[in-house]
Amino acid sequence: LALAPCSYATDFFLNVEGGRSSNDLNFKYREDGTGESVYSNLITVGAGLSLQSKIVLGIGLTSSFSDNFLGAFDSYKVAQQHLYVGYRINVNKHIRITPQIGYTHWKLTSEESIWFNDEKKSATKFSGEDAYGQINLEFPVSKLVTVVASFSRTYYAFGSTDAAQAGVIFTFN
């Protein structure tokens, strides 16, 4: 009986997003020893609760992989599991802004190019945990579907990342 008000006050959601990121990697995490930017594709899936108090709690998985045409460049992959909390601000009935802060556990894999490499192809793996910030612009289409554009900045141990994604949030009462 005590759970009824709590379940009434929350909505469950699932989200799917895709996008691009710019990663400024520290030289010690780069296969070629330089500290240049690497551009990546992102895919994120997540789930969470949206409370009646406008607080959002969520978990997610993100996979990021660098552009690598026919193995011609060093490649970088980042797999992340993340937890976050946010606060949904209703600008009007068609636009919401949700700033979020979170914690991510990541694994970075860097792999040498198969071209112009004198030695055997090698891969290096790193892992760690870091905090991040994100802001969502949300456009509710119906009670079930919301279109979202998200922008995030993360300062990882391996460098910083700026990401932009677009996707869909499915909300269930």
Side-chain angles (χ1 to χ4, degrees), residues 52-67:
Q52 192 173 31
S53 63
K54 299 184 182 180
I55 292 174
V56 177
L57 305 170
I59 60 172
L61 301 171
T62 299
S63 181
S64 170
F65 45 95
S66 62
D67 299 335

Side-chain angles (χ1 to χ4, degrees), residues 20 34 46 49-50 52 70 77 93 106 124 134:
R20 298 278 291 162
T34 66
L49 296 173
S50 179
Q52 192 173 31
L70 298 175
K77 297 174 189 165
K93 73 178 196 174
W106 53 267
T124 309
Q134 179 169 308

Side-chain angles (χ1 to χ4, degrees), residues 33-81:
T34 66
E36 298 175 11
S37 292
V38 174
Y39 296 95
S40 299
N41 300 298
L42 301 169
I43 297 172
T44 299
V45 295
L49 296 173
S50 179
L51 307 178
Q52 192 173 31
S53 63
K54 299 184 182 180
I55 292 174
V56 177
L57 305 170
I59 60 172
L61 301 171
T62 299
S63 181
S64 170
F65 45 95
S66 62
D67 299 335
N68 191 2
F69 182 70
L70 298 175
F73 307 103
D74 295 341
S75 67
Y76 301 89
K77 297 174 189 165
V78 179
Q80 300 178 66
Q81 301 88 36

